[in-house]
Amino acid sequence: MVIDLDKLVAPYFEQYPGEWLLFEVTETDETDWPTQLRFVAHDPSREAIADIAIEKDLDHTLVRFAGDVLPEDFHAAVSFYK
């Protein structure tokens, strides 16, 4: 069963529009797809979110931008590895 990540993060999109959101993945399914998240932080700066993730030594994270469009000069990338 694939969990819709958009539904898990939607309340935070509404609360922190235009900011980067950091979640810790607390549970995954048999394919490593996130099924439960813990909200960690929000910030307008992507770099600040990366610093927080490193500072808290989080192993499995999910970072999302709470908006329809990425800020200018940002690009989306997907990495598939196990």
Side-chain angles (χ1 to χ4, degrees), residues 32-75:
D32 260 353
W33 187 260
T35 56
Q36 288 193 9
L37 305 172
R38 181 180 70 84
F39 180 70
V40 177
H42 65 94
D43 198 280
S45 165
R46 174 66 178 90
E47 290 80 14
I49 289 296
D51 291 343
I52 293 167
I54 292 167
E55 177 185 304
K56 293 187 177 286
D57 195 28
L58 301 175
D59 289 329
H60 198 171
T61 61
L62 174 72
V63 176
R64 296 286 302 268
F65 181 71
D68 294 331
V69 180
L70 291 174
E72 189 174 329
D73 298 329
F74 276 83
H75 305 278

Side-chain angles (χ1 to χ4, degrees), residues 1-3 5 8 25-29 32-37:
M1 176 173 131
V2 175
I3 301 293
L5 290 178
L8 291 176
V25 177
T26 57
E27 285 188 29
T28 60
D29 65 14
D32 260 353
W33 187 260
T35 56
Q36 288 193 9
L37 305 172

